[in-house]
Amino acid sequence: MRHHIFGGILSFFLLFESAHAAESQLQPADTYMLETITVTATKREQTLREIAGSVSTASDIDLENQGAETLQDATKIFPNVHMKSTSSGNEIVIRGMSTWDTALQSPAGLYVDGVPYPLSYMQNIYLHEIESVEVMRGPQGTLYGRNSESGVINLVRRTPDNWLRGSLFTELGSHDTLRLGASAAGPLIEDKIYFSGSYLRHQTDGFVLNEYKQKDQAARHKADSGRVVLRLTPTDALDVRMSLDATHSDDGIGSMRLSTGPYRSGRYKIRSDAPDEASSDLVIPAFTITHTGEYVRTTSITSYLDYKYKMLSDLDRTPLPQGESEININQCNISEELRFSSVGKQRLSWVAGLFAGKTPMTTNVNRILRQSAATTYLHTDYTETTGALFGQGTYAITDVFRLTAGLRTEYTNLDGEQTYKTTAGNRMYEKDFDYTEFLPMVSTSLDVTDNLTTYASWSQGYLPGGFNVFSYSSKDTFYYNPEYSTNYEIGLKTQWMDNKLQANVSAFYSDIRDKQVREEVPSAGIGTWKFTNSAKAHTSGIELEVRLYPLEGWELRSGVGYARSEIDDWMVSTPSGGIKNYSGNRLTWAPELTYHLGVGYIHPSGFFAQTEYLGSGKQYFDAENTLSDPGYNTVNLQFGYRGENLTVAIWGKNIFDTHYITKKLVANGNKIEEDGNPFSFGTTVSWSF
């Protein structure tokens, strides 16, 4: 791998010589200012200043400067946004609102071009052909309903038009990492029919050595993804888009190591006899129609999602032939959203619509023991059906004072059955339940000056109920009910220095009731879990973001988020007959602090340098708050040349090789840990037209 890196460095200096000899023109100083950013996550086009809430965005240039390859990478520059990405799954945590480790649904929603990605396993996607990332903090129940209790992340992809464009890139890095990507877009018939296609491959051996097998691919990743889009604009008012996304991945998930006991191992080393592998397939065809009239824009988004996930991992994380844990998930999601919204600048800006969705799902969670007759099989089938009506409007009472109000009514039905098989026999039961939610919001905003806007908001959100697909107990513990949050927020949005400086701050307090939690079942013994709505909690904190163009060619972007999430009331019975009181403890997987500082410079000749300082505060991994990581910070660095068509970059991530833990648990009296990414480096070469 060294010769690849040295080859990239040599290419960089050859480019330096050619660019230094070339004539360059300085960009006028007045172009170095913040552009007006339009956000579409509110389901209508609004500027950041017009939205009475805490909203952050990152453009494709921001993502490129950061070197963001995955959604987890991108979230690190947003205050109070954290993505838990471990071998047991992913979870987007916004403002400290989290759920249990293996939950299939997250309190935060993820949408790509208006299409929902509901399962947590599918959410840490690889980024390619992304135009912008939009983050809306706080409950977004009025516009999005389910799975938006803490906020929403909206990814906007590039759309083909009359501009003929294309790109090709390759990346080589440590741990035998290879990334390849290509895209092309343009008109088939000018002003009428357009096409785009893209492909991305990511593969790496990872950084974990299985000492028992003497293989260094225990945490390998391999993913192939592609996308095609056909767009038709038969008239100026009508826009029709048909897209197809497909992704296949094969991963090694052997990254959890014993840190205590006779089979303990050191950093980035494991001792496991199981395959420790996972694979997934995701296919999403979508059909979007937009008609823009003089006063009303009509949008229809129809999507079908087919997702399959398989996992086989070591049950005890030792070389002993004890057994494996096997998980299979098959989900289909059909959804339709039809909405109507106002067009252009009006005193009343509004959006209203309806949503319908149906999600059949099958899971198999099996414990396969090699030396015991206690093998268990847990098979679950359920269907979730959802329908909703929603509306939200912003009325400009004066030229500087705006009032926003909205309401969503959402009905959900869950119908499931479960079979538990052992050598002693089978048990089967079923459950059908439903609920209707009313999700209001109201906010006000005031333009105090041309450069300063203040706002206040109140909103509600919820995390839907579901079924316990992981641990058999009884019919009564087969399901759990929704979780609810109410958020209170105030904030300031400012721009200074002729739009060269932007500084936004917000403060919030959220009540969480009927909190979904995982508890042991006392009558069933250790290791049998149920999911209940037994807890109450709250989270409070602030966010501060600053973006500055101090001098020509220089850019500074920074942010800090503080979110203290605390349990107010939660008492549970233990298998030994005692009582545990978790009141006053912190919620799991919720860092108290997130911070970021990025500084970049680009010379008129095209040479650039970028450094990122990223940090996360203390977080806990168990309800008792006995397992934690004290917090960490990492530094990323890249430099290179960015010309009209050619870009060459040399990069390093976590360049000081900071050691941190992303997951901890206790099993059979021993601690198990999962290490965060170590130092890595590489070179990227891309060409575009």
Side-chain angles (χ1 to χ4, degrees):
M1 181 57 64
R2 288 183 179 177
H3 66 278
H4 295 308
I5 306 303
F6 291 143
I9 295 174
L10 178 60
S11 300
F12 172 81
F13 283 108
L14 289 175
L15 283 167
F16 179 88
E17 289 299 323
S18 61
H20 183 70
E23 182 178 353
S24 63
Q25 294 182 346
L26 293 177
Q27 190 170 358
D30 59 3
T31 64
Y32 288 91
M33 63 177 59
L34 295 164
E35 297 179 351
T36 300
I37 298 174
T38 300
V39 177
T40 60
T42 57
K43 302 189 177 181
R44 48 195 163 134
E45 292 186 352
Q46 292 183 289
T47 65
L48 281 177
R49 187 176 182 181
E50 292 172 334
I51 301 172
S54 180
V55 181
S56 298
T57 66
S59 68
D60 55 345
I61 300 300
D62 295 328
L63 298 175
E64 184 178 355
N65 289 340
Q66 186 197 358
E69 298 177 356
T70 65
L71 183 59
Q72 182 190 31
D73 293 335
T75 59
K76 293 179 180 180
I77 66 172
F78 301 124
N80 277 337
V81 181
H82 167 75
M83 173 168 275
K84 183 213 83 174
S85 184
T86 67
S87 57
S88 58
N90 307 307
E91 180 189 349
I92 300 172
V93 180
I94 299 178
R95 290 181 167 177
M97 297 180 67
S98 60
T99 185
W100 62 82
D101 179 27
T102 56
L104 296 180
Q105 299 184 101
S106 167
L110 173 64
Y111 290 78
V112 181
D113 290 334
V115 175
Y117 281 52
L119 281 185
S120 58
Y121 281 97
M122 63 180 68
Q123 290 187 337
N124 189 21
I125 63 177
Y126 288 99
L127 303 179
H128 190 218
E129 285 292 286
I130 298 295
E131 186 174 278
S132 65
V133 179
E134 302 171 346
V135 177
M136 300 180 66
R137 302 179 190 84
Q140 305 298 321
T142 301
L143 292 178
Y144 289 92
R146 62 196 300 275
N147 295 338
S148 63
E149 181 189 23
S150 64
V152 164
I153 295 180
N154 182 50
L155 302 185
V156 181
R157 284 176 163 164
R158 295 190 180 107
T159 301
D161 51 26
N162 280 326
W163 178 31
L164 180 64
R165 58 179 173 83
S167 66
L168 178 69
F169 82 87
T170 182
E171 179 176 288
L172 298 170
S174 50
H175 314 300
D176 283 333
T177 297
L178 168 68
R179 295 180 75 236
L180 295 170
S183 66
L188 298 178
I189 300 177
E190 191 170 351
D191 296 328
K192 296 297 181 183
I193 303 177
Y194 323 87
F195 174 83
S196 69
S198 62
Y199 168 76
L200 176 67
R201 179 176 181 84
H202 176 97
Q203 67 180 50
T204 179
D205 286 350
F207 50 84
V208 178
L209 170 67
N210 189 328
E211 294 181 312
Y212 175 72
K213 296 181 180 180
Q214 285 300 302
K215 293 184 178 180
D216 62 357
Q217 298 179 333
R220 67 191 181 279
H221 295 286
K222 183 185 294 183
D224 292 276
S225 61
R227 173 179 171 86
V228 292
V229 178
L230 181 64
R231 180 187 178 202
L232 294 80
T233 55
T235 68
D236 291 341
L238 188 62
D239 191 321
V240 180
R241 304 178 194 180
M242 294 165 281
S243 64
L244 176 64
D245 289 84
T247 301
H248 172 78
S249 68
D250 287 296
D251 297 326
I253 54 172
S255 50
M256 291 193 298
R257 60 180 175 86
L258 284 163
S259 59
T260 61
Y263 298 104
R264 64 185 179 273
S265 54
R267 182 183 177 190
Y268 308 128
K269 297 177 181 179
I270 66 168
R271 301 171 69 184
S272 169
D273 67 319
D276 287 328
E277 59 188 15
S279 66
S280 66
D281 290 280
L282 175 64
V283 179
I284 306 178
F287 187 58
T288 302
I289 304 176
T290 302
H291 180 272
T292 303
E294 185 177 358
Y295 301 105
V296 178
R297 177 178 290 115
T298 304
T299 303
S300 170
I301 302 176
T302 307
S303 66
Y304 173 80
L305 181 149
D306 186 9
Y307 179 72
K308 294 179 174 62
Y309 176 80
K310 297 180 180 180
M311 182 270 283
L312 189 66
S313 67
D314 197 329
L315 203 57
D316 63 342
R317 309 309 307 163
T318 75
L320 301 178
Q322 296 293 329
E324 290 90 31
S325 174
E326 180 184 51
I327 296 178
N328 295 305
I329 299 173
N330 294 326
Q331 185 193 68
C332 296
N333 181 277
I334 305 169
S335 67
E336 162 65 28
E337 180 169 285
L338 177 64
R339 64 177 183 257
F340 309 91
S341 60
S342 57
V343 177
K345 295 286 289 186
Q346 299 182 27
R347 186 165 290 275
L348 175 62
S349 169
W350 57 272
V351 60
L354 57 88
F355 173 86
K358 188 171 185 178
T359 305
M361 186 155 172
T362 300
T363 66
N364 290 286
V365 180
N366 307 322
R367 293 168 59 90
I368 303 171
L369 303 182
R370 301 179 190 173
Q371 298 180 342
S372 170
T375 292
T376 62
Y377 302 91
L378 188 63
H379 175 84
T380 309
D381 282 306
Y382 70 87
T383 300
E384 181 182 66
T385 305
T386 303
L389 297 172
F390 64 90
Q392 182 173 302
T394 300
Y395 183 70
I397 299 175
T398 69
D399 291 341
V400 297
F401 183 61
R402 295 173 293 277
L403 173 67
T404 300
L407 176 66
R408 185 186 188 97
T409 302
E410 185 162 287
Y411 168 81
T412 300
N413 173 262
L414 285 160
D415 184 9
E417 62 179 27
Q418 190 171 82
T419 303
Y420 179 69
K421 298 180 181 180
T422 68
T423 54
N426 301 340
R427 295 182 183 179
M428 186 174 70
Y429 40 88
E430 58 186 27
K431 178 67 178 179
D432 186 315
F433 68 107
D434 54 26
Y435 45 85
T436 301
E437 309 299 343
F438 297 93
L439 303 165
M441 65 79 59
V442 64
S443 67
T444 61
S445 61
L446 174 66
D447 298 334
V448 180
T449 68
D450 291 341
N451 299 320
L452 189 153
T453 298
T454 182
Y455 71 87
S457 69
W458 173 89
S459 59
Q460 292 190 334
Y462 86 109
L463 180 62
F467 293 105
N468 179 358
V469 303
F470 290 103
S471 179
Y472 165 82
S473 176
S474 67
K475 182 177 180 178
D476 293 336
T477 59
F478 176 39
Y479 72 100
Y480 51 90
N481 289 310
E483 167 184 317
Y484 305 95
S485 68
T486 301
N487 184 67
Y488 309 86
E489 183 175 330
I490 57 174
L492 289 172
K493 300 182 179 185
T494 68
Q495 286 188 320
W496 311 95
M497 298 170 56
D498 294 327
N499 289 337
K500 290 182 173 61
L501 169 64
Q502 181 185 77
N504 300 331
V505 62
S506 57
F508 65 90
Y509 181 93
S510 294
D511 271 318
I512 309 170
R513 60 191 186 279
D514 297 329
K515 175 67 180 167
Q516 296 171 2
V517 290
R518 186 178 72 174
E519 301 176 354
E520 284 189 301
V521 182
S523 60
I526 296 175
T528 302
W529 301 93
K530 63 180 179 179
F531 304 103
T532 73
N533 300 88
S534 302
K536 295 180 180 179
H538 74 273
T539 177
S540 59
I542 61 171
E543 290 117 14
L544 172 65
E545 285 188 286
V546 175
R547 193 161 190 169
L548 171 65
Y549 290 144
L551 297 169
E552 184 177 320
W554 287 90
E555 180 181 6
L556 181 148
R557 178 169 182 163
S558 66
V560 60
Y562 173 81
R564 182 174 180 84
S565 54
E566 186 173 315
I567 298 168
D568 297 322
D569 183 20
W570 184 17
M571 300 181 69
V572 300
S573 301
T574 66
S576 61
I579 297 292
K580 286 185 178 180
N581 185 358
Y582 296 140
S583 302
N585 286 4
R586 299 290 306 279
L587 292 179
T588 57
W589 309 102
E592 186 175 66
L593 192 66
T594 56
Y595 50 95
H596 159 255
L597 173 62
V599 179
Y601 173 73
I602 182 166
H603 189 268
S605 65
F607 289 95
F608 71 91
Q610 179 84 21
T611 184
E612 305 279 342
Y613 178 72
L614 307 163
S616 180
K618 186 175 184 177
Q619 66 172 313
Y620 294 94
F621 303 106
D622 63 333
E624 293 86 356
N625 284 185
T626 58
L627 302 173
S628 65
D629 181 83
Y632 62 92
N633 53 71
T634 60
V635 176
N636 299 340
L637 179 66
Q638 68 168 322
F639 61 92
Y641 171 79
R642 187 175 294 137
E644 183 177 353
N645 302 109
L646 181 66
T647 299
V648 178
I650 311 297
W651 51 265
K653 297 183 178 181
N654 190 8
I655 62 174
F656 297 112
D657 201 26
T658 300
H659 181 217
Y660 58 98
I661 301 297
T662 61
K663 180 177 180 176
K664 287 184 181 180
L665 58 92
V666 174
N668 300 319
N670 292 316
K671 288 185 179 180
I672 297 177
E673 298 182 352
E674 190 163 344
D675 297 305
N677 293 347
F679 165 60
S680 62
F681 59 93
T683 181
T684 305
V685 180
S686 63
W687 177 79
S688 62
F689 65 89

